[in-house]
Amino acid sequence: MQPQMGLRERQRRETLKLLHEAALKLVSDGGLTSATVDAITERAGVSRRTFFNYYDSKEDAVLGTTAPSVPDSAISEFFDDASGVDQFTRTLRLISAVIQSTREVDRVDATELRELLDRFPELRARVQQH
């Protein structure tokens, strides 16, 4: 069971979601070129600085993907030899935790993601970078 999120974490996730939804709407209405950082921030009602506190690029905002990180809990579990879990399973869990760290918002589902990538192949490069 996941502990309840504090106010700061809820606000952070709400801002991530707001920026992601603004980027998706702009892409839907006018294509990837219309989804500039300035347009996204204006639509979301936040500053450019705020945008870059949450996303590294407009492509990340469109995809709803943040830079990968290694959660502290995953590191602790990985190095916990007394857990009784074999090294291979701990390694898979660590990799999974890093992958999950890039998906902090309820982003587009797999079908919508495929459609976005088909419509805007330049987004594929960003997905591969992550």
Side-chain angles (χ1 to χ4, degrees), residues 6-124:
L7 176 61
R8 182 173 287 182
E9 180 63 15
R10 286 193 311 268
Q11 289 173 334
R12 188 181 76 75
R13 287 182 182 256
E14 183 58 36
T15 302
L16 277 166
K17 182 178 177 184
L18 189 65
L19 288 165
H20 173 58
E21 289 173 350
L24 280 177
K25 179 68 174 150
L26 288 164
V27 166
S28 173
D29 291 348
L32 192 60
T33 56
S34 72
T36 64
V37 171
D38 288 333
I40 294 167
T41 57
E42 183 177 325
R43 182 171 190 87
V46 301
S47 69
R48 284 179 59 86
R49 182 176 177 162
T50 297
F51 177 91
F52 287 108
N53 284 335
Y54 290 89
Y55 290 108
D56 290 336
S57 67
K58 74 175 190 175
E59 292 81 7
D60 287 350
V62 170
L63 295 166
T65 304
T66 57
S69 64
V70 183
D72 290 338
S73 60
I75 293 172
S76 296
E77 183 181 319
F78 179 76
F79 287 109
D80 184 5
D81 291 333
S83 69
V85 178
D86 64 275
Q87 187 67 40
F88 179 73
T89 301
R90 287 185 293 172
T91 302
L92 289 178
R93 288 179 182 170
L94 179 65
I95 293 168
S96 178
V98 172
I99 292 169
Q100 290 300 318
S101 76
T102 67
R103 301 177 184 155
E104 295 198 57
V105 296
D106 294 328
R107 61 187 188 153
V108 295
D109 67 26
T111 301
E112 290 173 309
L113 179 60
R114 272 193 300 278
E115 289 171 2
L116 264 176
L117 296 177
D118 288 343
R119 187 171 167 204
F120 306 106
E122 55 268 42
L123 290 175
R124 288 184 188 277

